[in-house]
Amino acid sequence: NAGVTQTPKFQVLKTGQSMTLQCAQDMNHNSMYWYRQDPGMGLRLIYYSASEGTTDKGEVPNGYNVSRLNKREFSLRLESAAPSQTSVYFCASSSGQQNEKLFFGSGTQLSVL
Amino acid sequence: RKEVEQDPGPFNVPEGATVAFNCTYSNSASQSFFWYRQDCRKEPKLLMSVYSSGNEDGRFTAQLNRASQYISLLIRDSKLSDSATYLCVVGDNYGQNFVFGPGTRLSVLP
């Protein structure tokens, strides 16, 4: 049982380049999330999707776009990467029911030069 | 004021010690509460959910005080393997909005 699979694990970009982070879950979860984690700041929500076909902004959405391709997959796109987007990115999923926990992917270490 | 605040840490304790972490949250409508553990450069993993009546899992005890909007985690008989960052997480009534505290780092020393 793979859980939440996130790719790539590492990526280095130059300022202005674009890329897409992929995330898939095999737990039939309704809700999926993208977080970024910076030193001393904890995890901050970028975007989330409560169900297939819906997406909503989180705390720090600027510079990002997302696509909920189907129930399993939720991708995060950086159209024009900036050094401020250097961070560790985590995808997560949840059943969407009250008191249900989050399951995380293994993370993507992104550096923008 | 941050939505979820935790002890700043780090906590450096000897093996066998008892250590307590504190967490406060600002949204009185919050309905679900968790402690996650995060090892260096790894994803957060659920340590335990926190229930209103308090709950225990081996050496770990979690308490919730809704009136004070306060959550605690007690670790007894600390092991070297307990060294990690502990994240307090608070969820809303719909199971969709999770807010993370900044984490408290624990180092258990031999």
Side-chain angles (χ1 to χ4, degrees):
Chain A
N1 191 353
V4 180
T5 303
Q6 188 180 337
T7 58
K9 289 190 181 299
F10 302 95
Q11 184 70 50
V12 179
L13 295 176
K14 294 181 179 179
T15 297
Q17 287 186 314
S18 62
M19 78 159 297
T20 299
L21 280 65
Q22 306 287 352
C23 177
Q25 51 88 13
D26 62 3
M27 296 174 282
N28 201 36
H29 283 168
N30 290 315
S31 300
M32 297 186 73
Y33 308 79
W34 277 105
Y35 290 91
R36 62 177 286 173
Q37 186 174 34
D38 301 293
M41 301 194 70
L43 279 88
R44 293 183 292 169
L45 182 64
I46 304 171
Y47 270 93
Y48 72 98
S49 170
S51 62
E52 184 179 354
T54 68
T55 61
D56 287 284
K57 295 179 180 180
E59 181 184 355
V60 288
N62 291 343
Y64 305 94
N65 286 302
V66 291
S67 295
R68 183 74 183 268
L69 304 170
N70 46 56
K71 191 170 186 179
R72 290 187 66 248
E73 298 172 288
F74 188 40
S75 62
L76 178 72
R77 182 160 178 84
L78 286 71
E79 290 290 351
S80 179
S84 61
Q85 294 178 304
T86 294
S87 188
V88 179
Y89 292 84
F90 289 102
C91 177
S93 72
S94 170
S95 66
Q97 297 176 14
Q98 187 179 349
N99 296 320
E100 286 298 314
K101 57 188 178 287
L102 282 169
F103 293 82
F104 283 88
S106 57
T108 298
Q109 174 71 61
L110 174 67
S111 296
V112 183
L113 306 178
Chain B
R1 182 186 171 189
K2 294 181 180 177
E3 285 194 59
V4 178
E5 299 192 54
Q6 296 185 238
D7 292 329
F11 284 39
N12 298 313
V13 303
E15 271 187 289
T18 295
V19 60
F21 299 132
N22 300 310
C23 171
T24 57
Y25 60 96
S26 61
N27 185 355
S28 60
S30 299
Q31 293 294 330
S32 54
F33 309 91
F34 310 91
W35 283 102
Y36 276 73
R37 170 198 168 121
Q38 186 174 27
D39 294 292
C40 187
R41 299 185 181 278
K42 300 285 188 180
E43 72 274 23
K45 292 184 178 178
L46 181 70
L47 178 65
M48 58 197 305
S49 301
V50 186
Y51 303 115
S52 296
S53 56
N55 47 299
E56 186 175 309
D57 182 2
R59 298 181 294 107
F60 301 86
T61 301
Q63 296 282 347
L64 169 65
N65 185 322
R66 285 184 182 270
S68 301
Q69 297 179 201
Y70 167 87
I71 308 160
S72 66
L73 176 68
L74 185 75
I75 305 176
R76 291 181 299 278
D77 189 23
S78 299
K79 311 291 185 190
L80 295 176
S81 58
D82 293 335
S83 297
T85 295
Y86 290 83
L87 305 173
C88 176
V89 184
V90 175
D92 66 8
N93 193 39
Y94 304 101
Q96 293 175 3
N97 184 21
F98 297 87
V99 182
F100 286 76
T104 302
R105 189 159 61 87
L106 171 66
S107 293
V108 181
L109 309 173

